[in-house]
Amino acid sequence: MIIFGNRSYTPEEIKAGKKSRLAPEFDAAFEFCRQWLNGTPFFDLQTSGSTGIPKTVQVTRKQMHASVHATGRFFGIKKRSRMLCCLDTEKIAGKMMLVRALEWQGDLVVNLPKQNPLENLLDYHFDFAAMVPVQAEACYDDENSRNALNQIKVLIIGGAPVSPELREKLKRVKGKVYQTYGMTETVSHIALADIKSDGPLVYQALPLVKLKVDKENKLCIQSPMSGEGWLLTNDVVEMISNRSFVWKGRADFAINSGGIKMHPESILEKLSPLLQEVFPGRNSFLTGIADPKLGQALTLVIENDEDIERGNHVLKEAKRLLPRYHDPKSILFIPRFSFTSTGKIDQLRTLASWERG
């Protein structure tokens, strides 16, 4: 059964297109479910656009089917599980929650995306749910919804990396919590990392997924979810085994400063405790700004009004905390960041807004 808002539909009703009293905002999700149940072989999906111009990707029913059943095997999902979809059903993550419910013959509550998706579902006990980091943090930070969060048996989090601070919070919840690795082209995730583990997050490949790296340590994937052949990603990883890896950062975000190549995501993780102490609750990222001597100067971007005194303190402490030449040379304050619909910081739009003044 699929529950759109407060109206329930059986698979038979959806297949037949019987959507009486369905709120208009759920039309697209209902139609996707109808197409799936009627055997539509291809679907057009749009990428998030967080690292470039959004594009349309066509995936097959076979790919989506493989993804659903690999995830089911990984977690041992049973039929009639109760599930929550609080993601944008126009994007791959939301669509895959719809398919999981239909294929696992589960009961799915479909809500429109909001920052705290559990605030009106405090009495529900979910077996499986998917969120983006900002949603998981909002649920944890609210005492009432934290109790509901503790009732979720399996929670997967994707769309953006989980911050070290959020990871520490999620280690305290009762159920299983996993960070996903994947993209639209791989039809949702192909690997999962246990957020409650110690040390760096180690991603374990789903069943039937093969992994390798190219000469630049960019991850290559071969799987039923990603289609035929090997898919070369822009993600630099450290292989732990032939089925597991640690994510280091995106190759297209790599910064070459004075001949030293750095991955800003890994550096930011080391800086995170300092930033949360000095600029609590503020978003941030590292980027390379053109520099006549270094080529690119490592620059820390913070979502905050200009604060030179606290900024200078961060730069001084970063120099002490980080390896030589890996500390940011300056701080750029931008009052408001741009975000994608999946909760990722849209670095390109954020910097473009700053450049326009």
Side-chain angles (χ1 to χ4, degrees), residues 308-320:
I308 295 175
E309 183 177 350
R310 286 197 292 169
N312 286 337
H313 174 70
V314 165
L315 292 176
K316 181 180 178 181
E317 288 299 301
K319 197 171 182 107
R320 182 180 63 83

Side-chain angles (χ1 to χ4, degrees), residues 205-222:
L206 290 182
L208 304 180
V209 173
K210 296 179 181 179
L211 306 171
K212 66 179 182 179
V213 293
D214 69 359
K215 61 182 179 180
E216 296 177 326
N217 288 319
K218 290 191 288 188
L219 184 67
C220 304
I221 301 164
Q222 186 182 60

Side-chain angles (χ1 to χ4, degrees), residues 13 48 107 135 189 218 229-230 238 265 267 283 311 340 350:
E13 289 174 320
S48 67
D107 294 325
Q135 291 177 320
H189 54 266
K218 290 191 288 188
W230 286 89
E238 175 190 348
E265 298 94 340
I267 297 173
N283 294 298
T340 69
T350 297

